[in-house]
Amino acid sequence: MNRTTRFVLSTLVVVVLVAALGFIYASPYIVLNRVKRAADARDAQTVNQYVDFPALRASLKEQVTGLLTRRVDIQKSGNPLAIIGAMIGAAVVGPLVDSYATPDGVAAILNGIPPRGNFGEQPPRANDVPLAHSPPAPAPGAPTAQDTPQPAPQPSSPEAPKQPPMTTARYRGLNTFVVTYQHGAGDARYSAIFQRDGLVSWKLVAVDLNG
């Protein structure tokens, strides 16, 4: 083997190694994109590949219970009826967790709509928000949108965010990847937590409603 051949082989090895390391580093970002697209499409089979539902369910139960507990602590010196309401909310943690430990719930979590611990709360379903379509071009001589009275704007759903959340994603250690969501500077943050599942595969395992 001559010097040129050895140089070419060494270069190929370095290129392959760098590409492999780059792919390993980028793997949680790739998984995040895949699971979000699958959840938005309510592709349960694909979502199941990237979500550890037992772990997510346990995390949701712990986080929502903690959320309600903090709410009671804040309201102890306030209206007793508010405290009773928070205690009733604690009794419905199970149904709330059940509703969020689903493809609908995963889609909500990855789109900036976390559980808030409200009575009867459920994540929005795929058909709750219709897809936007471009309006057809007006026929010649037809009145335009400026000439036609427009209906008053309808209030947005309280469950849907007014704008896409600000999102940051980063490693938290070698095997943990955290995606943090916040709608505005004054809004509470929350995080979706992914855990490494093999060399390049990751699974959503938890949420952190404290950010």
Side-chain angles (χ1 to χ4, degrees), residues 12-96:
L12 286 175
V13 169
V14 171
V15 169
V16 170
L17 181 60
V18 170
L21 291 175
F23 180 72
I24 292 172
Y25 178 83
S27 60
Y29 297 92
I30 296 171
V31 166
L32 173 62
N33 180 62
R34 287 178 181 172
V35 70
K36 185 181 183 306
R37 290 169 63 92
D40 288 344
R42 302 317 192 259
D43 178 358
Q45 183 175 358
T46 302
V47 170
N48 285 337
Q49 296 177 15
Y50 297 111
V51 179
D52 184 340
F53 278 108
L56 179 61
R57 182 185 297 273
S59 174
L60 283 166
K61 183 176 181 180
E62 177 183 356
Q63 290 292 309
V64 174
T65 300
L67 184 67
L68 292 169
T69 300
R70 290 191 296 275
R71 190 172 300 170
V72 170
D73 290 340
I74 292 173
Q75 296 171 342
K76 276 183 179 178
S77 59
N79 186 351
L81 293 179
I83 299 175
I84 294 174
M87 295 176 65
I88 293 174
V92 297
V93 168
L96 189 155

Side-chain angles (χ1 to χ4, degrees), residues 59-60 63-65 67 70 114-117 188-191 207-211:
S59 174
L60 283 166
Q63 290 292 309
V64 174
T65 300
L67 184 67
R70 290 191 296 275
R116 302 184 184 278
R189 298 187 305 168
Y190 77 96
S191 300
V207 293
D208 182 356
L209 298 181
N210 295 314

Side-chain angles (χ1 to χ4, degrees), residues 145-209:
Q146 294 176 342
D147 302 322
T148 305
Q150 300 297 311
Q154 298 296 318
S156 59
S157 168
E159 295 179 335
K162 296 180 180 179
Q163 59 184 3
M166 295 182 291
T167 306
T168 58
R170 64 183 179 85
Y171 277 87
R172 186 187 289 173
L174 183 62
N175 298 315
T176 304
F177 186 76
V178 179
V179 187
T180 302
Y181 301 84
Q182 186 174 16
H183 285 286
D187 289 348
R189 298 187 305 168
Y190 77 96
S191 300
I193 302 172
F194 289 77
Q195 197 76 24
R196 188 186 296 275
D197 182 44
L199 185 60
V200 295
S201 184
W202 297 75
K203 286 192 174 185
L204 175 64
V205 298
V207 293
D208 182 356
L209 298 181

